[in-house]
Amino acid sequence: MSERRIVITGLGAVTPLGLDVPTTWANLLAGRSGVSSITSWDASKFDCRFAAQVKDFEPRKHFFVEKDARRADRYSQLAMASAKEAVQHAGLDPKQLQLDRVGVLVGSGIGGLKSLGDQDEILLAKGPGRVSPFMIPMMISNMAAGLISIEFGFAGPNFSVVTACATSNNCIGEAWRLIRDDEADIILAGGSEAACVPLGMSGFAAMRALSTRNDEPEKASRPFDKDRDGFVLGEGAGIVIVEELEHAKKRGANILAELTGYGLTADAYHMTSPSGIGAVKAMQHSLRRAKLPVEKIDYINAHGTSTPVGDVAETDAIKAVFGDHAKKLPVSSTKSMTGHLLGAAGAAELIFCIKAIEQNIIPPTINLDNPDPACDLDYVPHKARETRVDAALSNSFGFGGHNATLLVQRFVG
């Protein structure tokens, strides 16, 4: 089988920095933090009382039928909004497409946690007869992919990958694989998450994974800084339109970038602590599939969660893969502004890589005031940097030891 080239033709995102890609990107380049104190519920008894929340989101605007929005968990609502932006951005008209050749691969690391928590409270307070018949459909992690396919009539490959924080990179990578193998021509791929709820916050806090910088929440996410004390939980969604090149050309699509590399591995080491070895292999596999030498990578969007162990492990992995080139390779963690979007992180961050290629500008790592001596790369501190970007790599690593790396390049016809 001849190698089918795979491109990106549309972008959609809802993040703590904006309800669409242009707003998110503008705030990212400005170095603004999307982290703030929690006000939508009482977090006063929690060790961590802040998060990176999506604000002013109106789910009814993003469904053809209003009641469908009410029957969807927030993570599915965010995914639908991102899907509609991506479809519009790509200029896709379902009436002009062969619908069984259009797929949806949208995952979530956790799924409908708000719905689960809300219905558990109803169960305990009012009994099993009052639990919503929509609880299970609202909760399960594959429902965002299902709802998007129903909304548009996309009847091609449809499933949800669940690999914690590597989820959406795996979804996008598997979309690349399916299109390469001629199973589809177009796939909406990415992830969504909405875990900034009491159950989610308490669970991550119990693991001592979250920052507790409650007096300065906007400065709490500080990847690679020696004063980092954990990640900031975020919510949001990101979806990209992954498409076969000739199909995109025939319909006159605007090609944003070419997706050329995908690497995935397991640490086989620990539930929550990374070994770094799997990250090395994932990056190497992505480079091998793209047939690119390390010197051709111009930017890495790091997983960079702001955890004491994880940031050092990723720094060491990058040095192991890139050798001398690592010393001059810009690396930034946009989680310093968006917080950690969990299953949506990879898709949002791949979008940032694509925008970096499109505009030749790299978003910064904010809050990097006191660099950790063990984290000694160029993390583009504080301010965005204008520079030529032809190839970018996006890392996502998840609990369970899941590693997924994507590589995008400037499209050359």
Side-chain angles (χ1 to χ4, degrees), residues 83-236:
K84 291 205 165 173
E85 182 187 8
V87 166
Q88 182 176 15
H89 186 220
L92 294 180
D93 180 358
K95 295 178 182 178
Q96 303 298 319
L97 300 173
Q98 185 178 337
L99 296 178
D100 63 354
R101 297 284 295 177
V102 184
V104 182
L105 271 63
V106 175
S108 180
I110 297 177
L113 197 59
K114 184 179 189 303
S115 296
L116 179 62
D118 290 347
Q119 295 304 311
D120 185 57
E121 289 183 6
I122 291 172
L123 170 65
L124 295 176
K126 301 179 181 180
R130 300 297 296 276
V131 171
S132 171
F134 293 102
M135 186 198 77
I136 298 299
M138 292 171 76
M139 181 191 73
I140 53 181
S141 296
N142 64 302
M143 190 50 65
L147 289 176
I148 292 167
S149 72
I150 293 167
E151 190 87 348
F152 291 100
F154 296 151
N158 187 289
F159 59 88
S160 169
V161 176
V162 179
T163 47
C165 309
T167 290
S168 52
N169 267 16
N170 280 133
C171 284
I172 295 166
E174 294 308 313
W176 171 83
R177 197 194 304 273
L178 284 167
I179 295 174
R180 182 198 63 182
D181 293 346
D182 202 17
E183 298 291 336
D185 297 318
I186 300 172
I187 296 180
L188 283 68
S192 185
E193 208 77 77
C196 298
V197 296
L199 191 58
M201 293 293 294
S202 58
F204 282 113
M207 297 175 64
R208 300 187 182 279
L210 299 180
S211 170
T212 56
R213 194 183 285 258
N214 291 297
D215 54 337
E216 294 180 304
E218 70 283 353
K219 296 182 179 180
S221 185
R222 40 197 322 110
F224 311 113
D225 189 272
K226 71 177 182 179
D227 297 320
R228 66 191 184 278
D229 67 331
F231 73 81
V232 174
L233 187 60
E235 63 177 358

Side-chain angles (χ1 to χ4, degrees), residues 26-46:
N27 284 324
L28 203 72
L29 294 184
R32 296 192 177 98
S33 172
V35 183
S36 61
S37 297
I38 293 170
T39 57
S40 56
W41 51 272
D42 183 7
S44 60
K45 295 181 180 179
F46 285 67

Side-chain angles (χ1 to χ4, degrees), residues 286-326:
S286 189
L287 287 160
R288 175 179 57 81
R289 288 187 168 118
K291 299 179 175 64
L292 276 187
V294 295
E295 294 81 9
K296 291 294 186 180
I297 299 300
D298 302 306
Y299 168 56
I300 295 177
N301 189 293
H303 186 57
T305 59
S306 187
T307 58
V309 174
D311 290 2
V312 175
E314 185 172 12
T315 296
D316 290 344
I318 291 169
K319 289 192 283 190
V321 173
F322 289 90
D324 290 340
H325 184 57

Side-chain angles (χ1 to χ4, degrees), residues 266-298:
D267 284 346
Y269 173 68
H270 190 274
M271 282 196 297
T272 59
S273 183
S275 72
I277 297 172
V280 168
K281 294 294 185 182
M283 287 186 274
Q284 288 175 336
H285 292 333
S286 189
L287 287 160
R288 175 179 57 81
R289 288 187 168 118
K291 299 179 175 64
L292 276 187
V294 295
E295 294 81 9
K296 291 294 186 180
I297 299 300
D298 302 306

